[in-house]
Amino acid sequence: MTDSTASAPKPSSSVKLVLLGEAAVGKSSLVLRFVNNDFQPNKEPTIGAAFLTQKCQLPSRTIKFEIWDTAGQERFASLAPMYYRNAQSALVVYDMTKPSSLVKAKHWVAELQRQASPGIVIALVGNKLDLCDDDDPEDEAQDGENAEGHEEEAVRKVSTAEAKAYAEEESLLFYETSAKTGHNVSEVFTAIANAIPETSLKGPRTGAGGGTQAAISGGQDTSRVNLNARGADGAAKEGCAC
Amino acid sequence: MFSATHPKRTDSLNTRLPVEMETRHDKDQLPPTLSHHTEDPQEAEWNKFILKLVETRQQNGEDLDGGELIGASAFGQEGSSGRQKTETLTRLVVGGIPMKLRHPLWMELSSTQAMMQPDTYEHFLKIGEDDDPAEMEAILKDVPRTLTTKYDFYSGKGFQRLKDLLVAFVAKYPSLGYTQGLNTIAGYLLLAIPSEEDAFWVLCNVVENFFPPDYFSRADAMVSPLADNTLLRQYVKELMPQVQKHMDELGILPGHTVPMKWFFTAFSSALPETVLMRLWDIWLCIPNQKQYLFAFALALIAQNTAEILECEDSSSFFSYMDSKIKLPEDPEKLTELMKQAWKIAKKLGDGVAVRRADEVESTKAGMNLENRLRRRRTQSLEVLVDRDEEAGAGTSI
């Protein structure tokens, strides 16, 4: 909305980000940690989608994330295109104690690669690291000290190596996080901010039609195709930062 | 006396004022809302009204046990005195029903009592054990995280009751299944209605008769709620052209007009409890107010016009609508808002249902077109741009 009030004004840009992933993997909790530095056990399920914003300070500029946090239940999947349309970045989340959620995450990645804006920066995020209190990520049987009261026997079921290999194959950023402890959460968003190609950044919105991003500023139905695809494959894919 | 399943009520209506009547909550099952007593001037009026009714009905030799608290269905045959009673009842409902009376009044005035089938709740509960495991998992996941921003109730004492209610619901409606959002609706119903079985039937009634058709359909998931949003935008255009113009300038597509949760959860994920209960009082208890939620959305937008017009970009608009929308705090101002929505509902009339049906069809077509276009997107971007221009307004999401 407004420029940063920091003493040395930095250029500021808006970046649209969408969160996707199976129900109850912790999408809203990651956002809550990033936006409010807070955690609520038993966070209420998201209906449709929630919208939040948060700024991310990079050395050279300020990125304002405009975040669509979508509902995870399969039922809501048909709405997802409304939210990932023209998104410059996506956070695809799985629960590392639940293998099926990685399968779902892979589906989302495939859908984004097929249907979202070309050049979209995608981060694959394995959440609930706090439940997997293991030093050796390959050791799946280890039942570490379980901090979460409700999840009995919740231990790692998706190894770091497996998810990382997949992320590398698909050129995704990859992080393992804990929304509960805050581990790696701001790192994910910072990495995304850094990976957005400079060319697809634009200044603060100035109203209708001012943006180069077709996004939701188009106002016409004809804006559904992102004409702003020039950043395609220009994203700085510096591999896994974990 | 409130339902056939609980015929025993020994305390006399004459010795206790209606709003002081005990609910059937077990003490250790008491939902938090009922545990703190509030002095409400509204309650005195309700007491007066109901006591008068009871007196008249007793004089007429009616057997009040096992019957309805108000007997509103008879008002129609009572000429001018019936009309007067209807008027008073309507005014009282618009002003808000005391929490303790919501159970009998929602049951009676929403005609839930009429649709109840004895013993079937137990039956659905039993066959619910064989619900699809995926549905069961989703229910078990959501029950402990229901209304948690307000209460710990459903992660603790209330867990079993809400779980049972949802399991029975899925057993009764296998073609609908469990949708996130039903937990919140049912969660609030159980706060107001301590009998699980009664709350179950109100939920069934609400889904079958109060929500627009196919709202929770598995096959056409989200079509109807999305159509509602698009339709709402058309009404914004007709009733508040300056707001519509501003939304257009900000690039807000019709499907994004208001947050999905507004209509999809009958506002239960969007409003504070006090406001929500007032809204549901009218929606459930006054005849022919099924469009009331729709009218309420328009009234909310109207009341927030200045703030909406101040939004400088889509981002501030979405933030505002998602979590910052302004609601009146004191009860009288809230009543004003309810009345404003009432006026709008009157103005909209039956047209909403007709226009909704059209909108559902075009939304369905739009979603199909979207899918086809997306499939082709990988083939040729240039072709798509042309097609998009041709497609025009057909794809409204």
Side-chain angles (χ1 to χ4, degrees):
Chain A
M1 233 183 334
T2 54
D3 284 323
S4 163
T5 51
S7 51
K10 285 186 281 188
S12 163
S13 324
S14 298
V15 166
K16 189 179 165 189
L17 181 144
V18 63
L19 275 100
L20 298 163
E22 200 177 78
V25 295
K27 296 179 292 301
S28 302
S29 293
L30 285 167
V31 177
L32 183 66
R33 175 61 74 190
F34 177 57
V35 172
N36 288 343
N37 195 22
D38 193 9
F39 179 77
Q40 295 165 3
N42 288 329
K43 186 150 177 41
E44 290 184 41
T46 305
I47 306 300
F51 184 83
L52 301 95
T53 62
Q54 173 66 308
K55 284 180 182 154
C56 180
Q57 302 290 346
L58 299 182
S60 62
R61 60 195 310 132
T62 302
I63 299 288
K64 183 191 170 200
F65 279 112
E66 300 175 357
I67 304 167
W68 281 112
D69 171 23
T70 66
Q73 199 186 18
E74 189 59 35
R75 200 71 74 104
F76 294 93
S78 61
L79 296 177
M82 281 173 64
Y83 303 111
Y84 67 62
R85 172 176 302 146
N86 296 307
Q88 292 132 295
S89 56
L91 228 148
V92 179
V93 187
Y94 67 94
D95 170 353
M96 57 178 90
T97 70
K98 203 173 170 229
S100 69
S101 68
L102 179 63
V103 175
K104 183 68 205 173
K106 289 177 179 176
H107 285 146
W108 279 123
V109 169
E111 178 165 342
L112 287 172
Q113 288 172 337
R114 211 168 50 239
Q115 291 165 185
S117 310
I120 185 171
V121 175
I122 305 174
L124 179 71
V125 172
N127 190 37
K128 307 200 182 177
L129 183 65
D130 52 284
L131 298 179
C132 316
D133 201 6
D134 50 356
D135 293 321
D136 178 7
E138 299 310 314
D139 184 359
E140 298 185 10
Q142 190 76 36
D143 187 0
E145 271 210 348
N146 207 327
E148 183 91 281
H150 292 283
E151 315 260 357
E152 68 279 348
E153 309 226 353
V155 286
R156 178 189 288 271
K157 299 269 169 48
V158 178
S159 73
T160 308
E162 181 195 354
K164 191 170 174 176
Y166 165 73
E168 269 167 13
E169 203 173 293
E170 299 294 335
S171 308
L172 316 173
L173 299 172
F174 173 64
Y175 281 88
E176 291 189 331
T177 61
S178 165
K180 186 170 183 176
T181 66
H183 181 79
N184 260 350
V185 176
S186 63
E187 283 79 354
V188 179
F189 288 89
T190 309
I192 289 175
N194 274 313
I196 303 282
E198 194 90 359
T199 48
S200 75
L201 293 176
K202 61 189 179 67
R205 292 242 169 87
T206 50
T212 52
Q213 182 200 26
I216 33 200
S217 60
Q220 307 296 321
D221 285 319
T222 50
S223 71
R224 273 178 297 114
V225 169
N226 186 354
L227 302 173
N228 174 32
R230 65 198 181 285
D233 295 325
K237 304 264 169 56
E238 69 263 42
C240 304
C242 53
Chain B
M1 67 168 283
F2 301 139
S3 74
T5 51
H6 289 267
K8 261 195 297 175
R9 251 222 109 86
T10 47
D11 52 319
S12 156
L13 283 172
N14 290 330
T15 59
R16 315 186 70 151
L17 293 172
V19 293
E20 294 300 322
M21 287 191 305
E22 280 174 27
T23 68
R24 287 196 305 272
H25 280 283
D26 298 337
K27 277 279 182 284
D28 66 333
Q29 295 262 304
L30 202 66
T33 9
L34 290 176
S35 54
H36 44 82
H37 183 79
T38 52
E39 277 303 330
D40 184 353
Q42 203 32 27
E43 290 187 358
E45 274 219 72
W46 274 103
N47 279 331
K48 204 174 122 200
F49 176 66
I50 293 173
L51 286 177
K52 185 107 186 290
L53 283 179
V54 167
E55 200 181 307
T56 321
R57 291 167 72 193
Q58 274 171 342
Q59 278 167 8
N60 295 344
E62 268 186 68
D63 177 17
L64 299 184
D65 255 11
E68 293 168 330
L69 184 63
I70 305 278
S73 54
F75 291 175
Q77 292 111 55
E78 293 174 15
S80 67
S81 92
R83 270 197 300 280
Q84 205 172 2
K85 284 181 204 166
T86 304
E87 248 171 55
T88 309
L89 179 61
T90 304
R91 183 172 52 79
L92 286 173
V93 170
V94 173
I97 300 176
M99 192 63 177
K100 288 178 177 179
L101 287 184
R102 286 203 165 102
H103 180 192
L105 291 189
W106 284 7
M107 293 296 291
E108 177 187 340
L109 299 175
S110 68
S111 304
T112 299
Q113 259 167 0
M115 77 180 281
M116 284 176 79
Q117 298 158 321
D119 301 327
T120 43
Y121 177 67
E122 291 301 319
H123 166 71
F124 288 126
L125 200 51
K126 192 167 271 174
I127 62 169
E129 288 165 11
D130 300 327
D131 280 349
D132 178 353
E135 300 276 297
M136 201 62 121
E137 190 193 331
I139 291 172
L140 288 174
K141 229 188 274 182
D142 283 354
V143 168
R145 50 183 193 143
T146 299
L147 308 187
T148 38
T149 42
K150 300 165 197 86
Y151 309 118
D152 283 337
F153 190 54
Y154 293 115
S155 57
K157 293 189 288 192
F159 177 87
Q160 190 66 32
R161 309 169 68 210
L162 180 57
K163 192 205 94 181
D164 283 354
L165 198 156
L166 292 171
V167 165
F169 179 86
V170 171
K172 186 173 194 303
Y173 303 101
S175 68
L176 303 184
Y178 170 71
T179 309
Q180 291 187 321
L182 285 175
N183 64 321
T184 313
I185 297 170
Y188 275 119
L189 287 176
L190 269 177
L191 288 188
I193 302 176
S195 151
E196 211 178 292
E197 180 175 2
D198 287 357
F200 167 79
W201 285 106
V202 176
L203 181 66
C204 295
N205 191 10
V206 159
V207 167
E208 275 189 42
N209 301 312
F210 284 78
F211 275 100
D214 296 328
Y215 232 64
F216 299 95
S217 147
R218 200 197 303 264
D220 287 318
M222 303 302 140
V223 168
S224 195
L226 200 52
D228 254 354
N229 221 342
T230 312
L231 181 61
L232 185 77
R233 182 64 160 266
Q234 291 172 18
Y235 279 106
V236 171
K237 189 175 180 179
E238 289 162 28
L239 301 174
M240 296 168 264
Q242 82 285 17
V243 175
Q244 150 67 15
K245 185 165 164 276
H246 191 63
M247 285 181 180
D248 269 0
E249 282 167 1
L250 297 182
I252 311 301
L253 296 177
H256 278 299
T257 303
V258 297
M260 192 61 63
K261 62 187 175 186
W262 281 23
F263 292 131
F264 198 69
T265 67
F267 283 94
S268 61
S269 299
L271 295 177
E273 182 179 318
T274 45
V275 183
L276 179 73
M277 293 288 111
R278 297 277 308 268
L279 181 64
W280 283 8
D281 285 343
I282 297 172
W283 186 45
L284 298 176
C285 296
I286 300 182
N288 304 318
Q289 287 300 322
K290 286 173 189 170
Q291 315 300 345
Y292 189 74
L293 297 187
F294 201 81
F296 184 78
L298 287 166
L300 261 190
I301 293 173
Q303 191 165 72
N304 285 269
T305 296
E307 288 80 2
I308 291 171
L309 293 178
E310 274 168 24
C311 290
E312 289 174 342
D313 51 29
S314 60
S315 171
S316 45
F317 173 83
F318 290 134
S319 294
Y320 188 75
M321 298 299 278
D322 194 74
S323 53
K324 302 191 186 85
I325 198 122
K326 195 183 66 196
L327 290 162
E329 276 172 24
D330 73 279
E332 275 170 36
K333 288 245 172 69
L334 191 53
T335 303
E336 280 311 304
L337 177 65
M338 297 295 166
K339 284 182 181 162
Q340 199 190 346
W342 179 271
K343 275 183 210 148
I344 293 173
K346 215 167 187 178
K347 198 165 171 178
L348 302 185
D350 298 334
V352 179
V354 178
R355 289 174 65 172
R356 177 184 284 117
D358 291 346
E359 199 52 54
V360 165
E361 284 315 306
S362 59
T363 302
K364 227 181 260 182
M367 278 175 132
N368 290 338
L369 179 64
E370 277 273 312
N371 286 333
R372 280 208 307 280
L373 287 171
R374 274 205 303 277
R375 256 175 261 131
R376 287 184 209 159
R377 181 167 298 179
T378 39
Q379 296 163 8
S380 167
L381 259 177
E382 290 74 23
V383 175
L384 270 176
V385 174
D386 294 344
R387 277 177 198 281
D388 263 14
E389 278 159 7
E390 284 164 25
T395 51
S396 48
I397 65 167

